Amino acid sequence: MRPLSELSPFGTARAAVSAGASSKGDDESALLAWLRPVRERLASSFNLEEEVAFLAWELGRLPDGLSREERASLILMALTALVALGQGSTRIPFRDPAVRLDTARQLLPAEDLILGLDAAKAVATADALIAERRVDAIVGGPEDFKPLIVDGPFLYLQKMRALEERFAEALRRRIKGDADGAGWPEAEVSAAVLDVEGRPAVRDGKALPLSHDQLAAVRVAASHRLAVISGGPGTGKTTIVVSILRVLRRLGLPPEAMLLAAPTGKAAQRMGQAIQSGLRAIAKPTPEDQDLETLPEPRTLHRLLGYSPSTGRFLHHENNRLAGRVIVVDEASMIDLVLMERLARSLRDDSRLVLLGDDHQLPSVEAGAVLRDLLVETNDGPSPLGPRAVRLTESHRMRPDDPDGRNILTVSQAIDRGEPPKFAARRTSDDVIVARSSFAEVEFHCGGVELLEAPEGSGVIDAWLDRWNREVVRSLPDFDHLVGRRYILGRDGFHEADRVRLDQLFDHFDRARVLCLTRVLPTGADRINDLLHDRARAARPAGAFRDDDLIPGEPVMMQVNDYGRMLFNGDQGLVLLVSEGGRPSPMVVFRRADGFATHRIGSLRSVLRRSYAMTVHKAQGSEFDRVALILPHADIPLNTREILYTALTRSRAAVTLVGSREILARGIARTARRFSGVAERVRGPGPAHIKHAVAKELV
């Protein structure tokens, strides 16, 4: 039975009174009743909140003189645009109804008992309303300022179209700056690159020279005001960053003029650690190399741009540019159009922007697959960036002594190509996934890719989680002592012995993680976290901790940015008992490059989530030794080759897929469809060029 307390834009009381509204009731109540199952499908199929449905409903109310069926058709069209935005598109093909029909069919119930509206009729009705100019209150042309914009064959939300135009214009100015010639002479760049090439990093007594494509990427970054470098796992993107900075220092750029950033705090921290490690590995550093030890610490993009959560504004913009002469951004595939546009317009005209990432990975959570847009090749020509776009193709993980890493990489590359998976009882080649017939056969201490069949209702996931908890989560020697003891926090931080113990714990939890496609559903991160929490609580002595919701030793993750505490969305910590000058209390401990930060659990509880498991989106920018990916029981739109590729490439040594072969195969066959005009706008002379462009689907 539907609860009487259901929220409604008209108020809870009216929703309760009109609970039985049908097609014979008043228009608004009938439309809200019609919208109810649509909202449910919005959450289950597209992982979107019901507020999205109410926004579309509000848009549909604005035009006058529409019947209920016409208004519902308009709501469905607006909702299709919002769903596309939620899935990462900046626009949808408007003249070709296939995409809109597909979304409408997923949103509408099989049998509409309220209005009797089917998807085809709804799409045709909305098209007629626009053609007859009856919905001009919310739908306009390219020069209008209205919520929805029809631009040639595309339907845009007005904000997204404006962002595309501004971003493309900022990049075109940067490309034009190369032609104006204000960089270093080619001979100086070549000399600097040659010197860096002659002083490679050395690990385990072995020199690690730059490959041909790595050298090309370094040269492009030093020769252009915009460079985009894409490469899969193990292709040496971090090595590229260090080499680029070394070359630029030799060309006279001081370290303080080099700004480093990433989309998340975790990615920024990993970037900084990798750069420092790369600098220390230089066998014969020059004074210029030693200068780079004073590089500014990598920051999140929001911190770099001076975002203020209280005002919702950025300190840096086109009228207050960033001071940096070079800005290097890692994990660029995670950056959405909104943030990328802000960054592009905040750069000095003479600065250099270097974007690094893997354009085959899952794109940003928000709208815009910008890295992919800038690298995509279409019938109109190559990447819109021309020689400024470089792909790294040689994987340095493909070592003869690392068969597990080769297996993960080979299977990931096959998934990226959309090839059907190959299964066998044992690994006979690098492209084979080992099939396990029971959870007892899963090899937690071996590597490569394996799949455990887990039919819905079979209890396999619960039984497998028992083993994961025992053999992975609790595998650290003296685990119970380390998570149950009290840690002493003094004026200068934790004592040395406690710092060693904390490093042990953080290293342990950083080695393995369960990944899920969604937060919701029985196979989602929320339920897996609940199940692993129950197992952790059962292992703790009774009364050991007053808060049963979070217990000592549990990994947690920030869900928002907290600039006052310098904590950021995606930052991961551990719940532990900490004594600060007396009685121990529950605190969340976060590891930082220079030590550990502690915060009382009560002040953060509302913005923390347990993170034994996390969504694949949240795992971007992280690497683990072992990953387990739990597939949904039923196929969902989020199940794509991009999300599978991203999940597998989070692991260095071992991947366990938990789910059915059929669901895996369906995901590999499906691409994350994102529709965008960024490439066309960057390539073309301006908005007029793309007014009648042919639809391009990024695949």
Side-chain angles (χ1 to χ4, degrees):
M1 180 179 179
R2 184 173 56 85
L4 294 180
S5 59
E6 179 184 37
L7 294 179
S8 165
F10 285 140
T12 303
R14 177 168 178 173
V17 171
S18 62
S22 67
S23 59
K24 295 182 179 180
D26 69 89
D27 282 355
E28 298 297 357
S29 296
L31 282 170
L32 283 174
W34 168 81
L35 194 61
R36 190 174 299 123
V38 175
R39 285 159 40 201
E40 293 170 357
R41 283 163 175 75
L42 195 68
S44 62
S45 295
F46 298 103
N47 207 28
L48 295 174
E49 303 295 336
E50 66 176 12
E51 288 86 348
V52 174
F54 286 128
L55 175 57
W57 177 76
E58 290 285 1
L59 288 173
R61 296 180 68 207
L62 292 176
D64 294 326
L66 302 185
S67 68
R68 275 186 293 193
E69 289 75 13
E70 290 172 334
R71 203 171 296 282
S73 299
L74 189 60
I75 291 170
L76 200 60
M77 187 187 75
L79 194 54
T80 300
L82 292 167
V83 165
L85 181 68
Q87 292 183 308
S89 294
T90 59
R91 66 186 186 183
I92 56 174
F94 181 66
R95 303 305 179 194
D96 179 359
V99 174
R100 293 163 59 202
L101 271 173
D102 182 52
T103 302
R105 285 170 179 149
Q106 293 182 69
L107 288 171
L108 289 173
E111 186 178 3
D112 182 356
L113 300 177
I114 304 297
L115 300 180
L117 194 66
D118 63 47
K121 181 180 178 182
V123 170
T125 299
D127 286 350
L129 290 173
I130 294 174
E132 295 165 8
R133 304 290 300 273
R134 295 176 60 197
V135 290
D136 283 1
I138 66 167
V139 181
E143 307 306 320
D144 293 326
F145 188 75
K146 293 182 179 179
L148 298 172
I149 300 296
V150 176
D151 188 356
F154 301 107
L155 178 69
Y156 278 93
L157 295 172
Q158 188 276 334
K159 175 183 177 181
M160 301 315 298
R161 185 182 181 279
L163 283 170
E164 275 194 358
E165 286 192 352
R166 292 201 298 263
F167 176 64
E169 174 59 25
L171 292 196
R172 287 199 301 270
R173 287 199 308 268
R174 191 153 296 279
I175 292 170
K176 183 178 181 296
D178 283 345
D180 293 342
W184 293 285
E186 184 178 345
E188 292 185 21
V189 172
S190 295
V193 172
L194 186 63
D195 189 53
V196 168
E197 183 183 9
R199 301 172 185 271
V202 175
R203 296 191 190 280
D204 300 324
K206 182 180 179 181
L208 302 175
L210 294 173
S211 64
H212 176 75
D213 53 3
Q214 287 176 324
L215 280 169
V218 172
R219 191 178 297 275
V220 166
S223 303
H224 298 280
R225 295 183 183 180
L226 173 64
V228 177
I229 303 167
S230 177
T235 52
K237 294 188 291 294
T238 301
T239 303
I240 292 293
V241 174
V242 175
S243 299
I244 290 170
L245 299 177
R246 294 176 68 195
V247 167
L248 293 178
R249 181 68 194 98
R250 283 160 170 75
L251 292 171
L253 210 61
E256 61 269 21
M258 303 175 181
L259 303 181
L260 308 169
T264 67
K266 180 74 172 177
Q269 183 179 355
R270 285 187 60 240
M271 183 185 190
Q273 292 169 345
I275 289 173
Q276 291 304 317
S277 175
L279 291 173
R280 289 193 297 269
I282 301 170
K284 299 178 181 179
T286 65
E288 290 89 351
D289 294 327
Q290 294 168 342
D291 287 346
L292 294 176
E293 295 176 4
T294 63
L295 277 169
E297 181 180 320
R299 290 175 279 177
T300 66
L301 278 172
H302 281 85
R303 283 184 62 197
L304 179 74
L305 296 171
Y307 178 73
S308 168
S310 60
T311 64
R313 296 179 178 178
F314 291 87
L315 173 65
H316 294 290
H317 43 73
E318 62 268 33
N319 297 318
N320 183 26
R321 309 287 182 93
L322 288 165
R325 297 272 307 282
V326 61
I327 296 88
V328 182
V329 183
D330 198 11
E331 297 290 352
S333 66
M334 300 169 62
I335 306 173
D336 59 73
L337 178 60
V338 174
L339 196 54
M340 197 71 88
E341 182 267 348
R342 173 62 62 176
L343 172 64
R345 291 197 297 126
S346 300
L347 303 176
R348 289 171 36 157
D349 292 339
D350 62 348
S351 67
R352 278 169 162 69
L353 174 63
V354 182
L355 302 175
L356 299 105
D358 183 354
D359 64 316
H360 293 267
Q361 265 194 46
L362 196 63
S364 59
V365 177
E366 304 298 332
V370 179
L371 189 71
R372 192 186 303 179
D373 287 353
L374 297 178
L375 292 164
V376 68
E377 296 182 2
T378 70
N379 294 333
D380 292 338
S383 158
L385 300 186
R388 298 162 189 82
V390 180
R391 287 189 182 276
L392 305 177
T393 57
E394 182 181 345
S395 175
H396 303 280
R397 285 190 186 178
M398 299 288 281
R399 304 193 317 267
D401 61 340
D402 183 20
D404 295 335
R406 289 204 316 273
N407 181 219
I408 293 173
L409 182 61
T410 305
V411 171
S412 300
Q413 291 172 336
I415 288 173
D416 184 47
R417 293 190 297 267
E419 297 176 0
K422 298 179 181 178
F423 298 96
R426 60 185 181 86
R427 192 194 307 166
T428 54
S429 61
D430 287 333
D431 60 350
V432 165
I433 299 173
V434 177
R436 307 295 187 189
S437 58
S438 73
F439 68 87
E441 294 182 2
V442 173
E443 294 283 356
F444 282 108
H445 305 295
C446 294
V449 186
E450 60 184 354
L451 180 135
L452 171 65
E453 287 279 354
E456 186 174 7
S458 65
V460 168
I461 291 179
D462 281 3
W464 174 83
L465 283 174
D466 284 336
R467 284 196 62 199
W468 179 271
N469 183 57
R470 290 194 310 270
E471 299 179 39
V472 178
V473 176
R474 297 174 55 80
S475 64
L476 184 67
D478 211 15
F479 178 81
D480 286 328
H481 173 71
L482 288 172
V483 301
R485 75 184 313 279
R486 71 177 62 176
Y487 291 82
I488 309 301
L489 183 63
R491 181 175 300 177
D492 298 323
F494 289 105
H495 299 165
E496 176 62 26
D498 277 351
R499 288 199 296 270
V500 172
R501 297 184 184 102
L502 289 171
D503 276 327
Q504 281 183 280
L505 276 176
F506 276 90
D507 288 345
H508 170 67
F509 279 102
D510 282 347
R511 291 189 188 105
R513 200 61 49 108
V514 179
L515 303 182
C516 307
L517 267 59
T518 68
R519 278 186 48 223
V520 298
L521 302 178
T523 55
D526 286 351
R527 180 174 182 271
I528 301 303
N529 277 319
D530 288 344
L531 293 172
L532 287 170
H533 166 75
D534 291 342
R535 287 160 172 78
R537 186 173 55 186
R540 299 294 300 144
F545 199 49
R546 289 178 299 175
D547 186 352
D548 282 341
D549 192 36
L550 288 174
I551 62 176
E554 289 205 297
V556 292
M557 179 187 291
M558 286 288 294
Q559 300 302 302
V560 299
N561 294 325
D562 186 332
Y563 293 89
R565 296 182 175 91
M566 298 306 291
L567 295 173
F568 302 96
N569 189 354
D571 281 0
Q572 297 177 54
L574 292 173
V575 176
L576 295 167
L577 288 172
V578 177
S579 179
E580 187 176 16
R583 186 175 179 179
S585 60
M587 291 193 184
V588 185
V589 182
F590 295 90
R591 182 157 64 173
R592 295 287 179 257
D594 57 350
F596 298 91
T598 59
H599 301 277
R600 295 192 179 275
I601 198 168
S603 64
L604 290 175
R605 185 63 193 91
S606 63
V607 296
L608 290 174
R609 182 172 289 131
R610 289 189 289 266
S611 64
Y612 295 105
M614 65 177 72
T615 63
V616 179
H617 276 100
K618 287 289 189 181
Q620 284 186 274
S622 297
E623 284 188 2
F624 308 97
D625 291 333
R626 169 171 288 280
V627 158
L629 175 65
I630 299 185
L631 300 170
H633 292 311
D635 194 27
I636 58 175
L638 285 175
N639 183 30
T640 66
R641 70 180 62 160
E642 288 84 0
I643 203 168
L644 297 172
Y645 171 88
T646 302
L648 265 68
T649 55
R650 296 311 88 208
S651 176
R652 291 180 286 258
V655 176
T656 302
L657 302 170
V658 184
S660 78
R661 298 188 188 191
E662 179 185 359
I663 295 299
L664 177 64
R666 288 191 181 186
I668 294 171
R670 179 187 291 118
T671 60
R673 294 188 302 182
R674 292 206 172 189
F675 301 95
S676 164
V678 167
E680 294 162 12
R681 294 181 192 277
V682 173
R683 186 183 292 111
H689 171 77
I690 58 96
K691 186 167 288 188
H692 301 292
V694 178
K696 297 289 190 300
E697 181 178 348
L698 296 177
V699 296

